[in-house]
Amino acid sequence: MPRSPAHSSHSSHASSRSASHASSRAPSRSSSHGASHPSPRSSRSSRSHSHPPLSSPPRSLMAALMLCLTALLLWWLNLPGGQGPVQAAGPSPSPSVEVTATPSPAPTPMPTPSPTSEPTPTPTPTPVAPDYSQSVPAGDAADADAWFQDAVFIGDSRTDGFHLYSGVKGGTYLVHTGLTVFEVIGHEPVLGTGENKYSVLSALGNKQYGKVYIALGVNELGWFDADAYSEAMGKLVDKIRALQPDAVLYIQAIVPVNSEVCKSKGQPYYVTNENISNYNEALAQLCEEKEVWLVNIAEALVDPETGELPADMTHDGVHFKKAGYQAWLEYLLCHTGQPQEEPGEASLPSQEPVPTRGSSPAPSPEI
Amino acid sequence: MKKFLSVFLLTGFLLSLSACQGESPKADFALADAQTLLDSAAFSEPLEELDLEIACSLYGLDQSKITEAAVYGSTGATAEELAVLVFTDAEAASAAKANFETRISDRAEAMKDYIPTEVPKLEKAVLEVRGNTLLFVVANDYAPVEELLK
């Protein structure tokens, strides 16, 4: 930074003159008296010839004086704000810039080139472990045309209605009106027609699926035994896992009914929301124990204030109207249990753009 | 007297001629017939329409043989259902009749332990083929169906 012209005027008259002398003297001794003055030697020599020599200070005194002047100059250069000799004019600093102490000039080191062959490590998303103590959380909606292509549904008349009226694309339906979990694990031949009937589990063993959706429980309410229901569902999970080792299991909670409509339509006395609640509680514990997803489809259908199936969503208090099955479908598409990711520590460098949380595509399900 | 006998004989002759002609062919079924029944008192609850692809899957039909369809079913509360189908030809319509007969027997089997009161509806089910069209009805009240069939 060029020194401020005002700074030199602050120095004392003696130091300014000494500085000028020092600067003029530094390059050449002969110019110690300035350009307008002849060199001392020449002036002395000229004077020595024409006039008698004047008395000159001793050499040691001169040397001492030079030393003092040099020290003074160096001290002055190191003062805060001191800029040294006047340099080439440059842009004066803006008044808003705070002038700080300028360190002694040092050669600017050449910047070390950063290695370009090695990409900067980016955080690798770490899959969040599924929490089976809760029902499957909502996530990005799956592709309605593709998601159920490798799915199989095991259920009763409600699932039959889902198949017929939800608008679902794809899927295999092992459903039977009145089906119970006891019939399924008991290998009852409830599917098929006439003499060609077969059991749900035998049908399940014919093909490998990516997802297995189970919705059973309404027809078991008459047993008034949530523990027996849960135990049977646990056995069903084990059997399905043996037949479909790579499939993701989804156990759907029992959707509550509309009490008034059930009564007006003469539904069995055991079809009550209290009974359903007991069964669902046992189901939730089972899902956590077996580490399978509980799909709380009741969230899509039930009035949150009453906890019941709305009267305008059912004809008989138990089964849903078309709109209800469609809402069921939408719920399944948004509750797939796809692994969620959270930012992890920087590990291996990633060649892909860093995904923005919530906007990255869902990974492919395990098949 | 002679005039009276002549008129009497002539009338009898004309009546006998008309009897020999037989019944006039009934019109094929049309999609509008489905709406007629839906608007009548034939069913105990509103039926929901089924997608044709789903309907073919349900009844085991070849969708390529069907040119027009109106298929409706219960959402699970009853065994009531309705189908009016127009096939590519009479042979396809006749062949499809067997599928619906199977449907009736399967539903009766399922309903007898689930909702036994629905079984009589299935026993009275209407299944008729006219030309390349087919009508299948499981109703709560068959009076409107009989009226349509006239």
Side-chain angles (χ1 to χ4, degrees), chain A residues 158 254-263 271-274 276 297-314 317-318 320:
Chain A
R158 277 179 165 178
I254 306 170
V255 177
V257 299
N258 184 283
S259 305
E260 289 301 315
V261 179
C262 280
K263 190 184 293 185
V271 180
T272 65
N273 286 326
E274 183 181 352
I276 289 173
I297 56 176
E299 289 182 341
L301 293 156
V302 162
D303 183 339
E305 291 187 4
T306 64
E308 292 205 353
L309 185 68
D312 62 358
M313 194 65 81
T314 176
V318 175
F320 319 137

Side-chain angles (χ1 to χ4, degrees), chain B residues 83-99:
Chain B
V84 176
L85 301 166
V86 180
F87 292 86
T88 53
D89 51 66
E91 186 180 347
S94 295
K97 194 175 177 182
N99 297 55

Side-chain angles (χ1 to χ4, degrees), chain A residues 7-65:
Chain A
H7 184 77
S8 60
S9 65
H10 291 165
S11 53
S12 62
H13 179 72
S15 61
S16 62
R17 193 170 68 178
S18 60
S20 61
H21 276 296
S23 61
S24 60
R25 190 164 299 184
S28 168
R29 235 179 148 174
S30 61
S31 62
S32 59
H33 290 287
S36 59
H37 297 284
S39 62
R41 187 172 294 177
S42 62
S43 64
R44 229 184 315 188
S45 62
S46 64
R47 279 199 295 264
S48 63
H49 289 290
S50 59
H51 297 287
L54 296 171
S55 60
S56 60
R59 282 189 181 180
S60 61
L61 186 59
M62 290 295 291
L65 188 60

Side-chain angles (χ1 to χ4, degrees), chain A residues 157 160-161 163-165 168 176-178 192-194 197 219 315-316 319-322 325, chain B residues 45-46 48-51 54 57-58 72-77 102 106-107 109-111 114:
Chain A
S157 55
D160 193 28
H163 176 212
L164 296 177
Y165 303 112
V168 62
H176 178 67
T177 297
T193 60
K197 285 191 175 288
N219 297 307
H315 289 302
D316 66 343
H319 300 92
F320 319 137
K321 291 183 181 178
K322 194 172 194 176
Y325 291 115
Chain B
E45 63 167 14
E48 300 278 8
E49 188 171 9
L50 271 76
D51 179 74
I54 294 290
S57 168
L58 179 66
Y72 294 80
S74 167
T75 55
T102 301
D106 287 346
R107 289 292 279 168
E109 182 71 23
M111 285 293 175
Y114 184 58

Side-chain angles (χ1 to χ4, degrees), chain A residues 5 33 52 79 82 105 121 151 186 202 207-208 215 259 280 288 307 309 344 349:
Chain A
H33 290 287
L79 276 175
S202 64
K207 179 184 170 182
Q208 291 299 301
S259 305
N280 276 337
E288 183 178 2
L309 185 68

Side-chain angles (χ1 to χ4, degrees), chain A residues 314-337:
Chain A
T314 176
H315 289 302
D316 66 343
V318 175
H319 300 92
F320 319 137
K321 291 183 181 178
K322 194 172 194 176
Y325 291 115
Q326 292 170 335
W328 182 352
L329 172 64
E330 291 303 317
Y331 189 88
L332 292 185
L333 287 171
C334 293
H335 293 76
T336 61

Side-chain angles (χ1 to χ4, degrees), chain A residues 131-199:
Chain A
D131 180 10
Y132 294 112
S133 67
Q134 307 295 320
S135 61
V136 60
D140 295 335
D143 183 353
D145 289 334
W147 178 253
F148 297 109
Q149 294 300 329
D150 64 342
V152 60
F153 291 83
I154 299 174
D156 51 29
S157 55
R158 277 179 165 178
T159 303
D160 193 28
F162 173 85
H163 176 212
L164 296 177
Y165 303 112
S166 70
V168 62
K169 305 289 184 187
T172 299
Y173 295 84
L174 306 179
V175 298
H176 178 67
T177 297
L179 187 65
T180 68
V181 62
F182 306 108
E183 289 172 322
V184 177
I185 62 174
H187 295 270
E188 292 291 328
V190 295
L191 304 178
T193 60
E195 298 297 318
N196 301 318
K197 285 191 175 288
Y198 48 93
S199 69

Side-chain angles (χ1 to χ4, degrees), chain B residues 124-147:
Chain B
K124 296 179 188 174
V126 169
L127 177 59
E128 187 169 326
V129 174
R130 292 182 183 177
N132 63 329
T133 65
L134 180 146
L135 174 69
F136 170 60
V137 186
V138 180
N140 182 57
D141 181 359
Y142 282 92
V145 182
E146 291 167 2
E147 187 64 31

